[in-house]
Amino acid sequence: MTAREEEDTVQTILVVGGGYAGFYTAWKLEKKLRRNEARVVVVDPRPYMTYQPFLPEVLSGSVEARHAAVSLRRHLRRTKLIPGKVVAVDHEHRTAVVRPADGPEFAIGYDIIVVTAGAVTRKLAIPGVAEQAIGMKHVEEAVAIRDRLLTAFDRASALEPGPLRRKLLTVTFVGGGFSGVEGFGELLSLGTSLMRTYPELDPAELDFHLVEARDRILPEVTDGPGRWVVRSLEKRGAHVHLNAQVVSATDGHVVLSTGEEFDSDLIVWTVGNAANPMVRSHTDLPIDERGMLVVRADLRVGTESEPVPDAWGAGDDAAVPDLAADQPGAFTVPNAQNAVRQGKLLAKNIVATLRGRKAKQYVHHSLGTVATLGLGRGIFQYRRIVIKGLAAWLMHRGYHVLAVPSWERKIRVLAIWLTAFVFGRDIVSLVSVQDPRQAFRTDGEPGEPSLRLEHAHRA
């Protein structure tokens, strides 16, 4: 048998998406599959897995942007990686359609499919949001937010006090969930510390707004710790708007449902997740009323009475039953804790079924909730145990340096933390990388001055 014929007889496991669940599924499959037992193919438009718990610290410069990204090619050495996006799945014929960055769409066949495409940022049809806001789901967005704030300080320092300067120093986060509060706290910490290096600016001009539609923030913690977080942010000069919604953000002019209005140069959108469009509308796999993949407790697609052969799902696009919850019918929370553990179990279950063994059900009891609120500030809750301040912040850092995959990433993150502890944050903005050809296009073109030199000399 030739190598090509041997390859054709090997089953193909197609992993749709290289995020948490997809990355860990492929990573563990590489370690558990025997030679020629099956081959693994991962399709994802990005060449890396984003370690999202580090994104708030990327905002503040406490973690280098590249250290929050785990290279797929570096760690998935025996997996075939296809840069592109799966836009349709026809499971009846074991075929998926891939849309690459360049070139026409093409079909790929498989024997077993793992759907870990992840959720997408939930957008609302609010005037100005699509044009003004930045999401906070990817490394590129976190870098852009940080650079925008640093550049705003530079621009504001050259202006006289007034409306434009106030707008440049005003930041708005929409969404009081986990990522929104962490990002808000970290960026507030950066903005406050920057004031020491800009004597031209008045600290009172720095204006941070957190807008949440519900009557509380951080639904992952109980009411008491949630109220403490609000008080902590307000003591640091932030404005927390509860029971408020953004009704307009045209040209950066933010209008809230409470009647409050203000201009904001930087608007960050963190209102939660929506169903993945491919899963919701372009697959013959079963979905629920929310557009989520219907998944059993053992991570097979389908129900207990009607499982779908050779189809598995996990992560933010899957409605995984939460067997550890007190109330029946609950689903696992779409967070990193669950996605990582689901990916690991999914790999074990696939290997088990390939070898004729029974798949295990996913049961995970929460390890608690820990959040960073800025340098040296945090909150941790496990049942009735609540830890606040520096101790919780250290717990946050300790947990995530252990949780980020690979020793290479752990060491890099520790190194940047130690460097920042000694020398402080790096406050250089590289916003020009978002348009690298601008200098090439405009250098040597001074433009027409609006103020003549003779007038300036008289002044």
Side-chain angles (χ1 to χ4, degrees):
M1 182 181 293
T2 66
R4 180 60 182 270
E5 290 172 334
E6 185 175 305
E7 184 177 314
D8 289 342
T9 63
V10 174
Q11 292 195 78
T12 296
I13 302 172
L14 175 62
V15 180
V16 180
Y20 281 118
F23 172 81
Y24 274 94
T25 298
W27 203 25
K28 295 302 178 181
L29 281 173
E30 282 194 348
K31 297 177 181 180
K32 295 179 180 299
L33 287 170
R34 302 183 187 123
R35 181 177 176 82
N36 295 329
E37 188 172 16
R39 60 177 176 175
V40 182
V41 178
V42 173
V43 180
D44 195 279
R46 288 180 169 80
Y48 58 83
M49 182 271 282
T50 302
Y51 190 72
Q52 290 187 351
F54 278 159
L55 292 187
E57 295 201 60
V58 172
L59 293 188
S60 64
S62 297
V63 169
E64 175 62 35
R66 293 182 187 275
H67 299 169
V70 180
S71 170
L72 298 182
R73 290 196 177 273
R74 180 166 186 153
H75 298 288
L76 301 179
R77 298 179 184 272
R78 293 166 49 204
T79 295
K80 181 179 180 180
L81 298 173
I82 299 178
K85 181 184 294 186
V86 172
V87 294
V89 172
D90 180 359
H91 189 63
E92 182 180 358
H93 298 97
R94 302 297 193 273
T95 304
V97 177
V98 177
R99 179 179 296 159
D102 301 291
E105 297 178 354
F106 59 90
I108 180 173
Y110 62 83
D111 298 287
I112 299 169
I113 192 167
V114 177
V115 182
T116 54
V120 297
T121 301
R122 182 161 59 96
K123 302 181 184 74
L124 302 176
I126 298 173
V129 166
E131 295 78 16
Q132 300 293 325
I134 303 177
M136 208 185 82
K137 205 171 183 64
H138 304 291
V139 174
E140 299 91 339
E141 293 173 320
V143 172
I145 292 167
R146 179 173 183 267
D147 284 344
R148 279 277 297 274
L149 182 70
L150 294 174
T151 302
F153 268 76
D154 283 334
R155 292 171 60 193
S157 66
L159 297 173
E160 293 296 324
L164 179 55
R165 189 157 117 168
R166 282 199 305 274
K167 180 179 180 179
L168 287 168
L169 297 176
T170 300
V171 176
T172 304
F173 271 66
V174 186
F178 209 79
S179 61
V181 171
E182 284 199 310
F184 184 79
E186 284 288 341
L187 207 63
L188 175 62
S189 178
L190 174 61
T192 303
S193 67
L194 282 174
M195 278 296 176
R196 293 193 292 269
T197 58
Y198 286 86
E200 308 94 327
L201 302 177
D202 184 349
E205 294 178 288
L206 191 63
D207 205 9
F208 271 69
H209 296 263
L210 176 62
V211 182
E212 170 54 45
R214 293 167 293 188
D215 61 355
R216 53 163 299 176
I217 62 173
L218 281 181
E220 296 85 353
V221 302
T222 53
D223 290 347
R227 288 192 293 269
W228 178 85
V229 172
V230 172
R231 292 196 301 271
S232 173
L233 293 172
E234 290 178 337
K235 284 180 182 178
R236 293 158 61 188
H239 303 278
V240 180
H241 306 269
L242 300 178
N243 294 310
Q245 299 178 36
V246 174
V247 297
S248 176
T250 303
D251 296 327
H253 183 70
V254 179
V255 180
L256 303 183
S257 58
T258 56
E260 296 168 274
E261 300 183 25
F262 49 87
D263 290 328
S264 181
D265 182 64
L266 178 57
I267 302 172
V268 183
W269 191 261
T270 62
V271 297
N273 294 330
N276 190 294
M278 187 278 290
V279 175
R280 183 184 63 231
S281 306
H282 302 287
T283 175
D284 56 351
L285 295 171
I287 60 171
D288 64 13
E289 65 280 358
R290 300 173 297 162
M292 306 282 282
L293 196 66
V294 176
V295 175
R296 307 187 333 170
D298 61 3
L299 306 180
R300 295 175 189 263
V301 174
T303 62
E304 294 299 325
S305 58
E306 296 183 19
V308 177
D310 303 321
W312 304 78
D316 292 356
D317 63 355
V320 180
D322 189 353
L323 301 185
D326 295 330
Q327 65 273 25
F331 298 102
T332 57
V333 177
N335 60 18
Q337 269 190 46
N338 283 314
V340 169
R341 286 163 177 79
Q342 288 169 11
K344 292 178 179 180
L345 178 64
L346 207 157
K348 292 179 182 178
N349 282 349
I350 290 175
V351 172
T353 55
L354 286 174
R355 298 172 186 172
R357 299 199 302 268
K358 187 178 180 181
K360 295 182 179 179
Q361 294 186 323
Y362 178 74
V363 183
H364 172 61
H365 296 274
S366 175
L367 303 176
T369 298
V370 62
T372 175
L373 302 173
L375 193 64
R377 300 176 175 90
I379 187 165
F380 168 81
Q381 181 174 20
Y382 176 69
R383 297 181 179 174
R384 295 186 178 182
I385 301 172
V386 178
I387 300 174
K388 306 169 184 174
L390 179 62
W393 178 77
L394 291 172
M395 292 172 67
H396 176 273
R397 287 205 160 183
Y399 172 78
H400 285 300
V401 80
L402 291 173
V404 67
S406 84
W407 281 102
E408 171 255 342
R409 273 296 177 264
K410 298 179 198 297
I411 293 170
R412 288 182 186 273
V413 170
L414 276 174
I416 198 70
W417 279 344
L418 292 173
T419 304
F421 178 77
V422 176
F423 299 106
R425 295 185 179 109
D426 193 334
I427 59 170
V428 175
S429 169
L430 296 177
V431 72
S432 59
V433 301
Q434 296 167 42
D435 185 8
R437 295 187 64 252
Q438 181 180 10
F440 179 76
R441 292 194 306 265
T442 60
D443 279 359
E445 299 177 9
E448 186 68 25
S450 59
L451 182 67
R452 293 294 179 184
L453 283 178
E454 57 269 23
H455 294 161
H457 287 318
R458 291 194 194 105

